[in-house]
Amino acid sequence: MKDQRDNRREYDAPGLRRSDLADDPLVQFERWFRAAVSADVKDATAMALATAARDGTPGLRIVLLKHFDADGFCWYTDYRSAKGRDLTENPVAACVFHWREFERQVRIRGPVTRLGAAEADAYFASRPAQSRFSAAASEQSAPIASRHELEAKVAELKRQHPDGAVPRPRDWGGYRLQPDSYEFWQGREGRLHDRFRYQRADAGWRVERLQP
């Protein structure tokens, strides 16, 4: 087996100080997010989303952030998927953004609610036609005998909706994570990383430096 120490690399980004940070974590997130997007970082909107079932069994996957604002961070999926079932039983989640090119991570945690039907309809209608057909054909996370069977379901939907106007499935929609905690992580030389955590307080947000 290859010694994994061969893959070790050093961090050399500038430091992160409390004075560099916005008082509002959403403003700070947007600064880092826009920097990643502007630099054409691949999959800058990708986030690792962690959920847990009622019994605590964890689940983790990559999803794409679709929009965010003061109300929270939003993505779309099938409610019958593994993450959808977890969120029905235990409506709280955590996500992580990792922008390797900037040696940065952002961790966000909080309760999760479903988006309304109007928001789900609007986003579904904006997707490419093939993506709409795929979502309508798939019961996400459920077993299926073969790929051929799945492709046949897509073909049948295309026959039924030759104009491409396949409707949004009843069990497909959006979620919003409403943050109660953020952590901004900046890689530093010698693994002496800079970490700052924002937590909700009565009058806004409490910010504290964490040890690496």
Side-chain angles (χ1 to χ4, degrees), residues 137 144 146-160:
I144 195 165
S146 68
R147 182 176 179 84
H148 175 75
E149 184 176 336
L150 189 59
E151 291 172 344
K153 292 170 68 175
V154 171
E156 175 58 21
L157 283 171
K158 288 182 175 179
R159 186 191 66 78
Q160 295 173 14

Side-chain angles (χ1 to χ4, degrees), residues 166-206:
V166 59
R168 176 179 66 87
R170 180 186 61 184
D171 293 308
W172 190 97
Y175 288 97
R176 174 182 286 114
L177 189 160
Q178 300 164 298
D180 56 28
S181 175
Y182 289 77
E183 182 190 315
F184 293 86
W185 180 100
Q186 179 69 70
R188 295 295 305 279
E189 185 177 356
R191 301 305 195 261
L192 201 64
H193 309 307
D194 288 324
R195 295 172 62 190
F196 286 92
R197 179 173 62 197
Y198 292 72
Q199 289 187 296
R200 286 196 182 276
D202 292 340
W205 295 89
R206 181 176 73 255

